[in-house]
Amino acid sequence: MQQPLLVMQGVSKSFPGVKALTNVDIRLRRGEIHALMGQNGAGKSTLIKVLTGVYEMDSGQVELNGRPVSIQSPKDAQALGISTVYQEVNLCPNLSVAENLLIGRQPRRPNQAIDWRLLNHRAEELLERLHIQLDVTKPLSEFSVAIQQMVAIARAVDISSGLLILDEPTSSLDQREVQELFRIMRKLRDEGMAIVFVTHFMDQVYEVSDRITVLRNGELVGEYLTAELPRIQLISSMIGREWKDEPHTGKSSDQGASEVWLSASGLGRTGGVEPFDMTIRKGEVLGLAGLLGSGRTEIAKLLFGIDRADQGAITINHEVMRSMFPSKAIEHGMAFCPEERKVEGIVGELSVRENIVLALQAKRGFLRFLPLRKQQEIAEHYKKLLGIKASSIEQRMDQLSGGNQQKAILARWLATEPKLLILDEPTRGIDVGSKAEIRKLIMSLAAQGMTIVMITSEWEEMVGCCDRIMVLRDRQVIGELSGDDIREQRIMEIIAEGGERDEQLQQQVG
Amino acid sequence: MKLPLKINSSNITILATIVLFICLFAVGSIFFTGFFAPQVFLNLFVDNAYLIIVATGMAFVIITGGIDLSVAAMIALVSVLSAELLKAGVPPVAVIFGVLVLGIIFGFLQGYVICKFHIHPWIVTLGGMFLARGVSFLISTESIVIDNPVYRTISNAKIPLIGSSTISVSVIIALVTVAAAIYVSRYTAFGRNVYAIGGNERSASLMGLPVMTTKVAVYTLSGFTSALGGIVFTFYMLSGYGLHLMGGEMDAIAACVIGGILLTGGFGYLLGPMLGVLSTGVIQTIIMFQGSLSSWWTKIVIGFLLFAFIVLQRVIVSRKERRPVSQKLKRNRTQKTEIPV
Amino acid sequence: GCGGQTPAPAAAPAAPATTKEAPAPTDNKKLVVGFSQIGAESGWRGAETASIQETAKNDPTIELKFSDAQQKQENQIKAIRTFIAQKVDVIAMAPVVETGWEAVLTEAKNAKIPVILVDRNIDKKNEDLYTTFIGSDFVLEGQNAAKAMVEHLGGKGNIVELEGTVGASAAVDRKKGFDDEIKKHPDIKIVKSQSGDFNRATGKQVMEAILKSPEGKNIQGVYAHNDDMALGAIQAIEEAGKKPGSDIKIVSIDGIKEAFEAIKAGKLNTVVECNPLLGPQLFQAAKDLKAGKQLDKWIKSNEEVFSGQKAIDALPNRKY
Amino acid sequence: MNSYSSRWGELTRSKLFWPSVGLLLLMVFNFFFTPGFFEISIQNGHLYGSLIDILNRGTPLIIIALGMTLVIAKEGIDISVGSILAIAASLAAYLMQQHVPFGLALLAGLAAGLLCGLWNGYLVARLKIQPMIATLILLTVGRGIAQLISGGQIITISNPAYRFVGGGYVLGIPFAVILAAVLFILLYLLMRRTALGLFLESVGANRVSSAYAGIHSTRIMTLVYVISGFCAALAGIIISSNITGADSNNAGLWIELDAILAVVIGGTSMRGGRFYLGGTVLGALFIQALSTTIYTLGVPPESVMVVKAVVVIAVSLMQSDAFRSMFRNGLRSRTRKKVLAHEAAS
Ligand SMILES: Nc1ncnc2c1ncn2[C@@H]1O[C@H](COP(=O)(O)OP(=O)(O)OP(=O)(O)O)[C@@H](O)[C@H]1O
Ligand SMILES: Nc1ncnc2c1ncn2[C@@H]1O[C@H](COP(=O)(O)OP(=O)(O)OP(=O)(O)O)[C@@H](O)[C@H]1O
Ligand SMILES: [Mg+2]
Ligand SMILES: [Mg+2]
């Protein structure tokens, strides 16, 4: 048998109070896509960080090509041909896209000066391979997380020369981008590279991976060939008990009668979304569908007052509002679970408890202080309800695994008991088991009368949950679906048609 | 490919600073006789050459998100040390070389302690500041005259420019420093790493950039420029004195900030510090030409002008930031909208 | 308070001019004097500034260009450059430090503008770069203080020296003059010497600490480089339950009004005057220069040593 | 053994631990090298001794550092405290000289501090000027205003009530110390018994997230500068009262550096976020104790700076986990503890 490219043996890693990895083995072979699976907090990211020298392991060995290596830093890892996309996008927001792609190995002129022209050109080429076109001289911060993630992937792909590690690269990508990524991954695999792939999407695992390693609570469960491992069994081995694939719970279907809770007329922002109208009824689940950068997040931010609308007005419960800002929105019973959890969601330095009570406390005002006892109660309640895996509610937020951070943010907003809950990619990075739980929770909240606006790139999830769907394209609302029309196929059609209509429009104008 | 003159969000501060500088100079010229003269303008460089050098070095530190409070004290130390060594008969070349090495070592040590032990640069360099001043007092509490002929020649050398106006050797050194800094920041890997670290240190490290080395290098560089600034300052003063430039580090920081360098790191052009120095310099010149302010009104007016300058700068910059971006965005993201089915 | 809001009138009687009234400049153009002041670090300097500004204001033949250097030599150099650019008739300055003036004063010399130094001198090597120096001798002040101290102690005792800001020329010279003089008296020992930064709060704090140190428990005299520190020290001594002025003799320099009041109250023994009211002398010198007179290299300001009844008598006339 | 070492670990991780150790070491040093340092007697009916001096002289620094702690927690900095202090003292003294009643003058001084803080807050929170440069403006202007008020002279204070603020004693304890204690308790309650502390830490750690959670970050930011201004004003009144004179030229010069140092020694990170009021008090006391020690010991004036530098660097090294672990591992083996700089520092 061919010698594996990389072998990790007996890897253990513990943080104060947590044993993140216990005696884990993994072997990665050339020409293979290897999925690393496990629940939130199982230790996947930690394993990757240990491998790439971000953390020092407590014990264990790494062998590359049969020779023991000691990787002390991401720099060492890169030098050994290991390139990584970490779970949270790790790029420099102030640098241009091109630089982010090529920093550390910029093309030089003969006199050793950085050749900017060539650099930008190369960057464009790199992105072209992923079928992305954008102005690479713009700072990265001007682009959405999705684009940032694509840039990170493009960078890693370009650097990699033996092993490529992708920690939840697809969490904020839409299907089309995912396909692009898979195409590249397959190509690299066929060229003989080893690829580690972490995701919580079962479909994707079965679509691209050849082999699966499952972790549970920091321990190795086993290594399987993808083809030989049925889905149910995979999930069961991840969660450590039998798993029944429950059918989606039916959605509340009595929305027609309920009254309008919020409506927006002609709401828009120059440079953001084109003016649009929308009505949201009490107790309904409204979906915003669209491709990356279609303006879904923008709409949510306008509704919640994070971006100021420069035209139009919002009416909540018949009360017209000219301006909106977060604390006002919260006061009126809105809640917004943002997309970029690292920047907009978590307060890393604070504890899980403080993160959870933050919005509720802000809503109450600083004087009506929640006593510690009460805070603990709330935090413990949601920790249990959402299955947040943390050593205690006093653990620092940034020490939680990605999925658990996401759950804590969700908890923060649920704690405010909102009337309208806006969820922007709420299940990003959340494992299969929890995802189903959360979906169930959302549905039951809606059934109890909570209104929900949901943005998700998983159309299946959207179709499964929503009573009504607004479709966006190029920052315009271009259609609406409800009732039986809600099908993935229809969404795609509308987006595609909208495209034609737009082109026709442009032709007429031009 | 792209004209450097294109106004965008990153160089707008620089442009605003230049515009405001010209306005201030114009105001001075209108109100005071003798103000509108080449020499008055050149004196801004002559009198501030050392500050330009120091601020430029400090800018690298600030761009990484750090700070160096020891620069002014370092200048004082260099001046005292130079004076004392020259008095002892050490050849000038050796003195210059020696203090430069001292600056490099000093900066390196500060950087090493900051990075290795993860202590905030404010504290470490504050310690450095006390240390440098303290050592210069230990060497001599009195001010020492430098009458070394080489130093005096350099100090008195006047390089004629337009008409009868002249600049000093120090100005050349300062301009070369600025030019070198601009080049380094833009065209070397080190320079780009500095920006990356300022943007997000953790990301930079995960991207495999040599974060620790770069940070240490940046403090070393600042140590070097403050020693160089010290030499230039010594030429300027021809004296060594432990109390020289008390509070000068604030001037350097202010120059950086006025020149558009963000103290939180990651943003700014290396031309900025020089513009910042010139701007505060012209404010001071106006005050001096005015010539009837009492001591306290001097402070108030300087502060007020500084305030007006910064506010105007912000107004210009935020105007620009608020411009609609829709058109540009459309061009940015012309993604094909075919759907994989 | 000595009425800081109403600065001393121009022709202060306490500040006699050393040269006779000279005729006003022949042409009716005003005599333009550029004065570069160090800053406003103390009441003493404030009084000096006020004296100069008021004198100029009350003299129609004079136009004063005043520039405050905020304690920075660089600013003083810039100010002098500016004066040269403005083509003033006379440049006057109170140099913040002795050294570092060669370049800029040479420029002034080349521009044929005479330079007058006020209250502090510059390095002897550069004597040819200024025309005259008006002011006092810090070393001499230190010596005078020492003599007074010796007298108060009867030639025997332990003393504490409160120094000014480390490195400041006033501190360096006042220490030198004092210490050298004290050395002549073997029974007098300076047991502690610490910087009080020329200000009252630090002076008090330092004295407090010293009084609690083993040496500090047996001291008979305190010498402060300026009045402010002495006033702070007096408070510290009182709080320690001792009597300033009798248990512990106190000598200080400057002669601000509060110091005289302290003498009157018996808490301070001697103050060596260092006169800040130099305005009249300065402009007299400037006019003399313009009239082509030859000036002494050093015009001493009129200064005395005050103790006891002499101080009490002088109190009503103190201007600052 | 294991539980012992884990409890030890917990203790050393407490933010109050290292400043306490620093202070303790200084005290131990004094115990051996400064005879009489620990003597406390009764003099004129009040406590008297070096330790009392440290408390008494330390109060202005403690008060300012408390305000500074909040500003730094918000990821800001306030270098104008020295000037605010001078304004407040000069204004109060000037008004009393003009025969304004004591209470009114005192209020005016404090109000001036609040106003200065409001100004700083406005520049930073509304105009979004970088904190250091925003407060640099007031650093310059404020000193000028103070001198303008006093005419550059020291205004002597004769009002006995005013003198009591910084020089009086209650039951033998300096009144200023009681004031500082009250302020500490008030701030502590304000921060820890209302949600302000939580909001402040949240804004300091991640401003965007906090705004999304509905916290008015501009209000919080303004508030901390106002508190800092108030603290500075109070410190100014205490200092001027103590020396019975408002010195607009020198009062509070460079105190911002000491205050920031105290905050950092006290365990609050200059990157904002978590703050420790208790730690700040310890830090300020440490700095004051160092000064008092230096004065009592008779360190030659020209070496004072060097001594301070060495102690400051030593204390911050002691606080550094990386430094200590280097020692520990150096004794055992050469297994380097490797954590990314970012994480260890935070
Ligand atoms: N720096 C840290 N300090 C303390 N605990 C940590 C730290 N980083 C991770 N952990 C803990 O280690 C465990 C494993 O986390 P890890 O991030 O590896 O999970 P994961 O499998 O990647 O989960 P997810 O799917 O949610 O990303 C978690 O319980 C987490 O709380
Ligand atoms: N102020 C701005 N300047 C430049 N670009 C901006 C600005 N605001 C938003 N954008 C860009 O416009 C797009 C906004 O899309 P938005 O985030 O609303 O889309 P979305 O449908 O939510 O897509 P995603 O799945 O990426 O979240 C993003 O690509 C973002 O980079
Ligand atoms: Mg993970
Ligand atoms: Mg989005």
Side-chain angles (χ1 to χ4, degrees), chain C residues 13-30:
Chain C
T18 44
T19 41
K20 270 187 251 103
E21 188 75 24
T26 41
D27 47 16
N28 48 11
K29 243 185 69 197
K30 283 188 177 182

Side-chain angles (χ1 to χ4, degrees), chain A residues 260-278:
Chain A
V260 171
W261 190 76
L262 177 146
S263 68
S265 60
L267 202 64
R269 198 175 85 98
T270 333
V273 278
E274 308 282 324
F276 66 93
D277 296 332
M278 86 192 291

Side-chain angles (χ1 to χ4, degrees), chain D residues 37-48:
Chain D
F37 199 84
F38 289 87
E39 270 171 31
I40 293 182
S41 56
I42 306 277
Q43 195 83 254
N44 301 337
H46 54 74
L47 294 173
Y48 176 85

Side-chain angles (χ1 to χ4, degrees), chain C residues 50 91 170 235 275 320:
Chain C
I91 291 174
Q235 293 182 6
N275 190 357
Y320 58 96

Side-chain angles (χ1 to χ4, degrees), chain A residues 45 87 167-168 402:
Chain A
S45 302
Q87 186 168 9
D167 193 351
E168 294 195 33

Side-chain angles (χ1 to χ4, degrees), chain A residues 40-41 43-46 87 167-168 198 200 401-403:
Chain A
N40 294 134
K44 305 179 292 293
S45 302
T46 307
Q87 186 168 9
D167 193 351
E168 294 195 33
V198 178
H200 291 295
S401 81

Side-chain angles (χ1 to χ4, degrees), chain A residues 56 72 327 346 354 366, chain D residues 195 206 209 216 274 336 338:
Chain A
E56 189 189 31
Q72 298 284 338
S327 58
I346 66 165
E354 285 163 313
F366 77 94
Chain D
N206 187 340
S209 293
H216 289 277
R274 290 269 189 231
R336 251 168 61 232
K338 256 198 48 57

Side-chain angles (χ1 to χ4, degrees), chain A residues 319-508:
Chain A
E319 191 187 333
V320 183
M321 275 158 228
R322 291 255 151 251
S323 72
M324 184 55 91
F325 44 90
S327 58
K328 189 169 163 190
I330 291 171
E331 209 173 288
H332 282 89
M334 289 191 333
F336 174 49
C337 187
E339 170 181 33
E340 289 187 56
R341 71 165 164 259
K342 188 174 158 194
V343 187
E344 303 169 339
I346 66 165
V347 182
E349 231 178 288
L350 300 191
S351 67
V352 176
R353 164 178 60 82
E354 285 163 313
N355 267 283
I356 290 179
V357 300
L358 196 60
L360 177 59
Q361 183 67 67
K363 187 177 181 180
R364 292 166 64 99
F366 77 94
L367 280 177
R368 289 168 59 212
F369 184 56
L370 283 164
L372 191 63
R373 178 84 48 83
K374 183 82 188 147
Q375 293 186 17
Q376 287 165 341
E377 225 168 76
I378 295 173
E380 289 291 0
H381 170 72
Y382 283 102
K383 181 170 182 254
K384 216 165 117 220
L385 182 71
L386 298 175
I388 300 172
K389 183 171 180 274
S391 60
S392 88
I393 51 167
E394 298 305 325
Q395 194 176 4
R396 266 176 69 136
M397 189 69 167
D398 53 6
Q399 295 177 348
L400 256 54
S401 81
N404 286 307
Q405 289 176 1
Q406 185 70 29
K407 289 180 190 173
I409 302 299
L410 193 59
R412 171 192 296 171
W413 292 109
L414 291 179
T416 64
E417 298 178 350
K419 299 201 182 81
L420 170 65
L421 178 60
I422 305 172
L423 299 168
D424 196 351
E425 313 278 3
T427 54
R428 160 173 303 173
I430 289 183
D431 65 46
V432 222
S434 312
K435 208 180 263 183
E437 297 288 320
I438 287 174
R439 210 173 283 163
K440 239 185 337 196
L441 181 72
I442 291 174
M443 298 313 292
S444 76
L445 288 172
Q448 286 160 32
M450 190 186 288
T451 316
I452 289 165
V453 172
M454 182 142 105
I455 301 170
T456 167
S457 296
E458 290 174 63
W459 290 353
E460 185 200 326
E461 184 175 82
M462 183 165 281
V463 168
C465 295
C466 295
D467 301 314
R468 200 151 59 86
I469 292 178
M470 287 171 77
V471 184
L472 283 99
R473 184 179 174 279
D474 284 344
R475 302 157 177 283
Q476 267 177 332
V477 179
I478 55 165
E480 201 177 302
L481 297 173
S482 59
D484 293 339
D485 259 355
I486 300 186
R487 274 174 294 126
E488 290 187 41
Q489 192 58 36
R490 271 301 288 152
I491 302 177
M492 289 176 195
E493 279 165 20
I494 292 189
I495 294 176
E497 275 165 30
E500 278 159 35
R501 200 183 57 191
D502 202 35
E503 266 157 40
Q504 282 163 8
L505 213 75
Q506 275 178 358
Q507 273 164 11
Q508 280 164 13

